Amino acid sequence: MFEPWGILVILIACPLLGGLPLIGWITYALTHKQLSQVGTGNISVSAAFYHGGRFVGILAVLSEAFKGVAAVLLTRVFFPEGSPWELIALIALVIGRYWVGRGAGTTNVVWGFVVHDPLVAIFVSFFAIISFTILQSRRVVKFGVLLLFPLFVALLHISDIPRIIAAVALAGLMGWIYTKIPDDLNLPAQEAQTESQAMLEFLRGDRVMVSLDEELDAAIVGEKAATLSQIKRWGYPVPKGWVLAPIDDPQLLTEFLQPSELSPLVVRSSAIGEDSEQASAAGQYETVLNVTSPQALQSAIAQVQASYNQPSAVQYRRDRGLNDTAMAVLIQQQVQSIYSGVAFSRDPITQQGDAIIIEALPGSATQVVSGKVTPEQYRAFVLETENSSSVQLEGQGRVPQALIKQVAYLAYRLEKRYHGTPQDIEWSYDGQTLWVLQSRPITTLLPIWTRKIAAEVIPGVIHPLTWSINRPLTCGVWGELFTLVLSNSFSSRGFANGNRKAERALGLDFTQTATLHYSRAYFNASLLGDIFLRMGLPSESLEFLTRGAKFSKPSWESTWENLPGLGKLLKRELNLEKDFKRDYQKRFIPGLSQLAQENIDNLEPSKLLIRIDFILELLRQGTYYSILAPLSAALRQAIFRVKDGQIDNSVTPEVAALRSLSAIATDAKQILLEFEPQQVFEQLKQTLEGEKILQEFDELLQDYGYLSEVGTDISVPTWRENPQMIKQMFVQLMQGNEPQSGAKDAINSIFAGKRKRSFIQRRVDIKGRVTEVYSRILAELRWSFVALEKIWLKSGLLKKTGDIFFLDFDEVRRLVVGEDFRLIEQLDELVELRRSQFVQDSEIIQVPLLVYGNTPPHPLAPSALYSDQILQGIGASQGQAEGRVKVLRNLQNVPEIDRDTILVVPYTDSGWAPLLLRAGGLIAEVGGRLSHGAIVAREYGIPAVMDVRGATWLLQDGQRVRIDGSRGIVELSNDLRPN
C-alpha cells in the first residue's frame, strides 16, 4: 500500500507546492509591489528581477529551486531514486505553478532535474550556454532544450520506457505553457529596476536578432513585419529578413548582416499600426533600397526611423485618430526583380465582384507603388472547386500571362488565409521564385457586409420602422450570446490578472452586427469573423450553423481558452426546451391572450404606445429564442448527421397551415364535384356542407392569420388582412394540384411513435413553436402600428396608407408624445424622401451578396463566373425536375403555376410557401437547407436548389431548366419561349 499512498501524496502535494506564490510574497514583502498587478501579471522569476531588482530576483530563484528539489526528494520517500515518478512529480508541480501560481515553472524543473538526473542536466546546460552565446536567441535555446532533454533521457536510459514517456510529457507541457503566457523579459529593459537592466538586456539577446522566421507580435514589431513572418511560416516565399523593435540597438545587427554590392539589403518601415485594418499608411514612411555597406545600413535605419516623425506622417495619424506609437524597422535581402507589381484580391474601385486586379511591370515593385510609371493592368478570376482550380485572365502586356495567373492565385489564397479580408499584395519575381514583399488589408473595403444568413432572417426590402425595431433586438441578443462566451476564458493574460476576464470581448461593438444597404439587411462579416476567431471557432461558423457550409477545423488553443464561456452557452442550449416551456406558459401565452382580448380600434395613441411597449418586451424574449432555437436545431442535426429528409417540420406554422388547407380543399372537392374556379366560395355558400367548409376556412385564417409573406417584416400585411392569396391556393388545391406526399408518408412511417423522443426532432419542434410565438408577437405589433396609423391618417398627420412604416420607432414615440414640433413640421418631407429611396432600392433587381465598406456603390450585375450551362447552389430538397422558369420577385401578382413551372424567387419566407405546393421545383437566390422554402419543398417532395446567386437576373421567364435538388445543380437551356 506504500506506493499508492505515494502516488496520492505526489498528485496532491506537488500541485499545492507549485501553486504557492512564494515569489509574489517575497516581492511584496520587500518592495510592496503586487506582481499580479504590474507588467504581464505573471508571478515569475523574471518578473521578480524586473520589478523587484537583483536581490528580490535571487530570492525568487532560491524559492523556486527549493520547490523543484522538494518535489523530487518527496518522491524518493515513496519510490526509488531516479524513478519516473520524480518526473511526474515535476509535472504536477508545473501544473500547480501554471494554474494557481501564475508562472511557467522553468526554475522548478531546472533544479528538480539537477537532483533527478545530474548527468542529463549537465549535458543540457552545456548546450544551452553554448547555443545562447552563439545565437543570442532565447527562444531557440528555450525550445531547443525542450527537445534535447527528453532525447538525452532516451539515450542514457533507453530501456526505461516510463521514464522516457514522462520526460516527453514534461517537455510537451512546458512547451505548451510557453505559448500561453507572456514573458516579462519581453518588456522594455529600460523600465526595469536599475540593477537588473544589464542582466535583462543580456537575456533578451533574441530581441537584437529577431528574424521573420519567428512568430512576431504586431504590437512590438508592427503589422508589416508580423504579417510577413506569418506568411513565411505558412510556407509562402518571403525574402529573408530581420526586425529591429523600437527599443533595440541596431549595432549588433548591422555588424552581423554585412551588406555588399553582391548582397544588397532593403530597409523598410514597420510602424506600429501601419498596414493594419484601421490604416494602411501607404507611402507615409521611408523605404531605402540597395543598401550595400554597414555604414549605409546604419544610415538607412536612422532614415526610416526618422520618417515616423515627418510632418506628413504625423498629420496622417492625426487625421485618422491614430495614437503615436513607435517605428520598428524591417531589413530584408533585396530581390533582384525581373517583374514586379501589386495585386488587389478585390477591386478597390468598383468594390464589387470577384475580380482580382493586378498591376505589373518589368523591374522592381517600387516603380508600381511610386505612381511615377503607368503599369500594365490585368483582371483575373479564380475558379476553384474541390478537385481543381483555374484562372481566367483579362488583359495583355509584356509580363508573361503564366506569371500573372500565378500572382492571381497567390492573391486569392492569401485572402482566404485572412478569412476573406481583401488584401493589397506587393510581389516580385526574380526569374525563379514569386516573392511576397507585403500583404495588408485594403482598408477602404472594410468592413465586409454579407447578405448570407441576413437574407433569410430579414429578407426583402425593409422599411425604416421594421429595421428600427429588428436591428437593436437582433444585435442585442447576438451581443449577449457572444459576450457570454468571450467574458469567461482561460486566456493567458486574463488568467494572469483576474480583473481582465472580459478582455477578449473588449473592442467589439455588437451594435454594428447588422446594417442596411440598398434597404436590405446585411450582417457584418468582419465583426462576426473576429468574434468567432476570439471564441476559438472558424470565422465561417455562423454560416455553418445556419446554412450547412463547409466547416474548417477550429483552433483548439483558443477553444480551450474560451471553454468556460462555451460551457455556459452549452448550458443554455441544453436548458433551451425547459426555459422556453417556462416562458411559454408564464409570459407568452398570458401576454398573447391579453393582446387578443384588447380592442385596439378603440385605443388612443398613448394607450397604443403602451401596448406597443408591452409587445416589445415580449418580442425581446422571443428574439432570444428565435435565434437560439434554430442554431440549436442546426447544430444538433450537423453533429449527428441527420439528413434533412428525416426531419418532420409539421410543427412549423407554414407547414401546418398548408396541411390544414390541403385537408379542407380535399373535403371541398367531395362537395363540389364540378365548380367554376372564380365562383368556388359563392358555390360553397349554397349548401350546408359548403357552409361548414367555409367555416373551417375562416377558422384556418383565424389560426394562421398572423403569417405573412415576410414573417420578420411588420410592414407586410398578414394573411388575416390580405386573404386573397390563400383563397387562390385553396382553389388551386381543389383543381387537383395536390402535394406529392410520397416522401412525406415514408418519413412519417419511419418516425411513427419515435419522433417526440428524438433528440434532434424535439429541437426542431421547439424551433417550430418558437416561430409560431415570434410570428404571433410580430403580427400583434404590426396591427398596433396599423391602428395608430389609422388615427393619424384621420387627423391628417399622415397622408398615405403605409406612411407609418417609413418612420423609425423613436420618431413614432415622439409623435405620440406630441412635443417635437420640428419633426411634425418636416414629417411629410421626411416620409416622402424615405418612400422615394425605398422605391428606388426596390427597383434594384440584383443586390450584391457581399458589400465592401460602408459606402457601397450602385450594384452591378452579378460578376460570379458560371459555366455556360450550369448554375451552382445548395441542394436543399432531393429529386430532379425539368420545366419552364417563372421568375417571381414578389407576391403582388401571383401567376398560374403548375407542375411544369420551376419557380425562381429572391428568397423564401412563410408567405411563399403556398406557391411551392403547385410548382414543379424551386430555385432561390438566397437561403440554405433550413430555410422556409427548403423545409416546405422537402415536406411536399419538390426538388429545390437554394443560394443560386443572381438567379432572378440570369434566368428568364419561359426558359427551360433542369434542377437537381440533391447536387444543388441548375442546368440551363437556350430554349426560350413565352409562357
Side-chain angles (χ1 to χ4, degrees):
M1 293 297 291
F2 195 54
E3 287 189 357
W5 277 108
I7 295 172
L8 188 62
V9 170
I10 288 170
L11 296 182
I12 294 176
C14 287
L16 293 176
L17 180 63
L20 284 176
L22 297 182
I23 296 175
W25 293 343
I26 291 169
T27 305
Y28 184 76
L30 297 177
T31 67
H32 297 288
K33 291 183 179 179
Q34 290 276 10
L35 290 182
S36 62
Q37 304 297 324
V38 296
T40 64
N42 291 344
I43 303 177
S44 62
V45 169
S46 57
F49 273 106
Y50 191 94
H51 301 288
R54 185 184 304 162
F55 181 65
V56 172
I58 292 172
L59 292 180
V61 170
L62 294 176
S63 69
E64 294 306 302
F66 163 75
K67 289 183 183 180
V69 172
V72 174
L73 295 180
L74 176 65
T75 306
R76 291 182 180 177
V77 173
F78 303 98
F79 297 95
E81 182 177 338
S83 165
W85 283 101
E86 293 180 5
L87 296 181
I88 295 174
L90 290 177
I91 291 174
L93 185 75
V94 169
I95 290 174
R97 183 80 177 87
Y98 176 67
W99 288 109
V100 182
R102 302 178 187 176
T106 302
T107 308
N108 307 137
V109 173
V110 168
W111 288 95
F113 215 89
V114 167
V115 177
H116 168 72
D117 195 330
L119 188 59
V120 170
I122 291 171
F123 279 133
V124 173
S125 299
F126 178 76
F127 163 81
I129 293 170
I130 297 298
S131 299
F132 187 77
T133 302
I134 296 174
L135 300 176
Q136 286 287 296
S137 175
R138 180 165 43 88
R139 180 182 176 85
V140 170
V141 172
K142 185 164 60 176
F143 285 94
V145 165
L146 295 181
L147 291 174
L148 278 182
F149 93 74
L151 179 61
F152 282 138
V153 169
L155 291 174
L156 294 177
H157 309 283
I158 193 168
S159 61
D160 194 345
I161 302 300
R163 192 172 186 173
I164 296 171
I165 293 173
V168 171
L170 178 58
L173 175 63
M174 295 295 295
W176 180 79
I177 290 175
Y178 287 155
T179 65
K180 305 310 293 180
I181 63 174
D183 192 341
D184 286 78
L185 287 177
N186 290 331
L187 298 173
Q190 295 89 335
E191 299 177 13
Q193 291 293 310
T194 304
E195 67 268 23
S196 300
Q197 287 182 6
M199 181 198 69
L200 291 171
E201 287 176 351
F202 173 75
L203 292 176
R204 293 172 67 249
D206 61 336
R207 296 299 300 271
V208 179
M209 298 287 288
V210 174
S211 78
L212 292 181
D213 295 320
E214 304 175 42
E215 183 177 354
L216 303 180
D217 186 349
I220 298 174
V221 301
E223 291 281 353
K224 182 183 293 181
T227 298
L228 286 176
S229 74
Q230 185 177 55
I231 292 172
K232 188 173 177 58
R233 285 182 286 107
W234 283 340
Y236 294 93
V238 174
K240 190 169 181 63
W242 300 264
V243 185
L244 278 173
I247 61 173
D248 287 340
D249 184 349
Q251 184 175 354
L252 290 178
L253 186 58
T254 55
E255 293 174 356
F256 170 78
L257 292 179
Q258 293 294 315
S260 66
E261 295 283 350
L262 296 177
S263 181
L265 299 175
V266 56
V267 181
R268 313 172 66 191
S269 65
S270 185
I272 313 302
E274 179 185 5
D275 290 350
S276 66
E277 291 191 1
Q278 287 71 42
S280 67
Q284 297 300 319
Y285 308 118
E286 294 285 344
T287 295
V288 182
L289 302 172
N290 296 311
V291 177
T292 57
S293 69
Q295 295 78 15
L297 179 57
Q298 280 191 325
S299 175
I301 291 172
Q303 183 179 341
V304 170
Q305 289 175 329
S307 70
Y308 188 78
N309 294 315
Q310 288 178 348
S312 60
V314 173
Q315 189 63 44
Y316 176 88
R317 295 193 297 271
R318 190 173 299 158
D319 292 343
R320 284 152 185 79
L322 303 175
N323 295 326
D324 287 336
T325 49
M327 170 71 80
V329 178
L330 173 61
I331 301 132
Q332 289 181 276
Q333 290 180 342
Q334 186 165 314
V335 176
Q336 303 304 310
S337 307
I338 296 178
Y339 301 103
S340 298
V342 294
F344 299 97
S345 64
R346 298 277 163 170
D347 191 333
I349 306 302
T350 65
Q351 301 184 22
Q352 298 182 49
D354 300 322
I356 296 169
I357 308 302
I358 300 169
E359 295 182 346
L361 268 182
S364 72
T366 308
Q367 300 179 84
V368 179
V369 297
S370 69
K372 297 178 182 178
V373 181
T374 302
E376 298 172 0
Q377 295 194 8
Y378 303 86
R379 286 168 57 88
F381 301 87
V382 176
L383 304 176
E384 189 172 52
T385 64
E386 291 187 4
N387 302 317
S388 64
S389 61
S390 62
V391 179
Q392 295 190 9
L393 194 61
E394 297 177 3
Q396 291 184 340
R398 291 172 290 171
V399 183
Q401 292 212 346
L403 175 60
I404 297 299
K405 289 183 177 182
Q406 191 177 350
V407 171
Y409 194 69
L410 170 69
Y412 175 80
R413 297 303 301 170
L414 283 178
E415 180 183 288
K416 292 194 73 172
R417 277 284 192 173
Y418 284 106
H419 313 292
T421 299
Q423 295 292 302
D424 172 358
I425 299 156
E426 191 175 323
W427 58 271
S428 191
Y429 179 68
D430 63 4
Q432 292 184 324
T433 304
L434 175 61
W435 297 97
V436 180
L437 305 182
Q438 180 175 299
S439 186
R440 63 188 176 199
I442 305 176
T443 54
T444 58
L445 299 186
L446 296 176
I448 303 171
W449 301 95
T450 177
R451 277 285 284 163
K452 290 183 178 181
I453 310 160
E456 279 189 61
V457 177
I458 314 176
V461 189
I462 301 172
H463 288 75
L465 182 58
T466 298
W467 187 243
S468 69
I469 291 172
N470 281 10
R471 182 176 181 269
L473 288 175
T474 303
C475 294
V477 171
W478 279 118
E480 176 189 350
L481 295 176
F482 292 143
T483 304
L484 180 72
V485 175
L486 293 173
S487 62
N488 294 271
S489 68
F490 287 142
S491 68
S492 57
R493 295 186 67 188
F495 177 76
N497 194 341
N499 61 6
R500 300 178 188 167
K501 283 187 177 181
E503 182 178 346
R504 296 178 67 82
L506 291 178
L508 296 175
D509 185 357
F510 297 113
T511 64
Q512 299 302 311
T513 305
T515 194
L516 286 185
H517 292 303
Y518 319 113
S519 296
R520 273 86 165 182
Y522 282 80
F523 282 168
N524 190 333
S526 301
L527 175 62
L528 293 175
D530 185 14
I531 291 170
F532 286 130
L533 288 173
R534 294 191 191 199
M535 290 168 61
L537 301 171
S539 57
E540 70 276 14
S541 300
L542 186 60
E543 188 178 350
F544 162 76
L545 292 174
T546 58
R547 298 167 52 80
K550 189 175 181 181
F551 192 58
S552 62
K553 186 179 180 181
S555 165
W556 68 270
E557 291 184 4
S558 186
T559 303
W560 169 258
E561 290 174 356
N562 288 292
L563 199 57
L566 291 171
K568 285 194 172 184
L569 189 60
L570 176 62
K571 182 179 179 181
R572 289 202 180 188
E573 193 279 335
L574 294 175
N575 291 334
L576 176 64
E577 184 173 0
K578 180 186 70 175
D579 291 344
F580 177 72
K581 285 182 178 179
R582 178 199 63 218
D583 286 336
Y584 186 79
Q585 293 295 331
K586 294 185 177 181
R587 300 188 65 178
F588 296 132
I589 291 300
L592 287 170
S593 297
Q594 176 183 329
L595 293 170
Q597 293 169 11
E598 197 169 29
N599 185 357
I600 60 176
D601 294 331
N602 297 328
L603 296 180
E604 295 184 355
S606 58
K607 298 292 186 182
L608 284 171
L609 185 59
I610 294 173
R611 173 187 170 90
I612 289 169
D613 285 334
F614 175 74
I615 295 172
L616 289 177
E617 282 300 316
L618 288 179
L619 195 60
R620 284 186 183 92
Q621 191 66 22
T623 301
Y624 168 79
Y625 290 113
S626 75
I627 289 176
L628 193 57
L631 290 181
S632 171
L635 184 61
R636 291 189 177 204
Q637 185 179 351
I639 290 174
F640 293 97
R641 298 183 179 180
V642 174
K643 296 180 179 179
D644 298 320
Q646 296 175 312
I647 300 295
D648 181 2
N649 290 284
S650 59
V651 177
T652 304
E654 56 264 33
V655 174
L658 291 178
R659 286 186 173 183
S660 298
L661 188 67
S662 179
I664 297 171
T666 300
D667 292 341
K669 285 173 63 176
Q670 303 298 320
I671 298 171
L672 297 180
L673 299 179
E674 295 183 2
F675 58 88
E676 289 292 329
Q678 304 298 326
Q679 304 294 325
V680 166
F681 286 87
E682 287 72 13
Q683 289 180 261
L684 286 172
K685 290 179 182 178
Q686 297 173 8
T687 64
L688 290 175
E689 293 85 354
E691 288 282 356
K692 184 179 179 181
I693 294 295
L694 292 177
Q695 183 178 352
E696 291 177 2
F697 183 86
D698 289 338
E699 289 174 356
L700 182 143
L701 273 181
Q702 287 296 320
D703 290 340
Y704 298 103
Y706 58 86
L707 295 175
S708 69
E709 175 185 335
V710 183
T712 54
D713 190 346
I714 60 172
S715 68
V716 178
T718 59
W719 287 1
R720 190 180 81 177
E721 298 168 80
N722 183 20
Q724 186 58 35
M725 188 181 68
I726 304 303
K727 290 183 176 181
Q728 290 182 15
M729 298 301 104
F730 179 72
V731 174
Q732 291 284 335
L733 287 169
M734 288 186 62
Q735 289 178 306
N737 295 326
E738 296 186 14
Q740 300 171 359
S741 58
K744 178 186 68 176
D745 293 341
I747 292 169
N748 288 341
S749 66
I750 293 173
F751 281 89
K754 298 181 180 180
R755 181 179 61 82
K756 291 188 177 180
R757 295 194 301 272
S758 167
F759 182 69
I760 299 167
Q761 185 62 51
R762 283 165 57 184
R763 274 295 178 272
V764 176
D765 289 348
I766 289 293
K767 174 190 168 188
R769 291 175 62 194
V770 167
T771 301
E772 177 189 352
V773 168
Y774 191 68
S775 300
R776 286 184 182 276
I777 296 172
L778 283 175
E780 293 289 351
L781 185 61
R782 171 184 164 75
W783 295 332
S784 300
F785 280 116
V786 169
L788 183 59
E789 182 184 56
K790 288 179 180 177
I791 296 173
W792 286 345
L793 286 171
K794 188 177 296 184
S795 69
L797 185 63
L798 296 178
K799 306 303 180 186
K800 301 177 185 176
T801 300
D803 277 358
I804 196 170
F805 296 106
F806 291 103
L807 303 173
D808 65 38
F809 181 55
D810 180 62
E811 291 165 344
V812 170
R813 184 182 297 278
R814 282 150 51 198
L815 288 173
V816 171
V817 174
E819 296 179 355
D820 193 334
F821 299 106
R822 184 176 180 184
L823 175 61
I824 295 172
E825 289 175 2
Q826 299 176 345
L827 190 60
D828 290 347
E829 182 181 351
L830 178 66
V831 169
E832 196 55 40
L833 179 64
R834 290 177 180 173
R835 185 187 290 274
S836 175
Q837 183 64 53
F838 183 84
V839 171
Q840 182 179 331
D841 289 342
S842 301
E843 292 173 351
I844 300 174
I845 297 174
Q846 184 62 34
V847 298
L849 181 68
L850 297 175
V851 164
Y852 294 91
N854 290 315
T855 55
H858 191 278
L860 303 173
S863 61
L865 295 180
Y866 302 91
S867 71
D868 290 340
Q869 300 296 325
I870 298 290
L871 300 182
Q872 179 69 56
I874 296 174
S877 180
Q878 294 182 2
Q880 298 177 343
E882 186 172 346
R884 295 199 175 274
V885 164
K886 183 60 186 177
V887 178
L888 192 61
R889 296 191 175 94
N890 56 58
L891 293 178
Q892 301 304 312
N893 296 302
V894 179
E896 289 294 323
I897 296 173
D898 56 29
R899 288 298 177 195
D900 189 50
T901 302
I902 304 298
L903 199 59
V904 181
V905 299
Y907 60 88
T908 56
D909 206 284
S910 55
W912 300 82
L915 298 179
L916 304 186
L917 58 86
R918 293 186 284 159
L922 171 69
I923 301 170
E925 288 188 321
V926 298
R929 295 180 297 109
L930 301 177
S931 62
H932 293 280
I935 291 172
V936 175
R938 288 194 297 271
E939 176 75 12
Y940 292 103
I942 301 167
V945 181
M946 319 298 287
D947 199 39
V948 181
R949 293 181 56 185
T952 62
W953 182 84
L954 293 166
L955 298 174
Q956 303 177 47
D957 284 351
Q959 184 175 10
R960 197 153 193 87
V961 297
R962 186 173 184 273
I963 67 174
D964 188 328
S966 303
R967 296 186 297 158
I969 295 293
V970 178
E971 297 181 41
L972 309 183
S973 170
N974 293 324
D975 178 13
L976 279 167
R977 71 166 183 254
N979 281 342

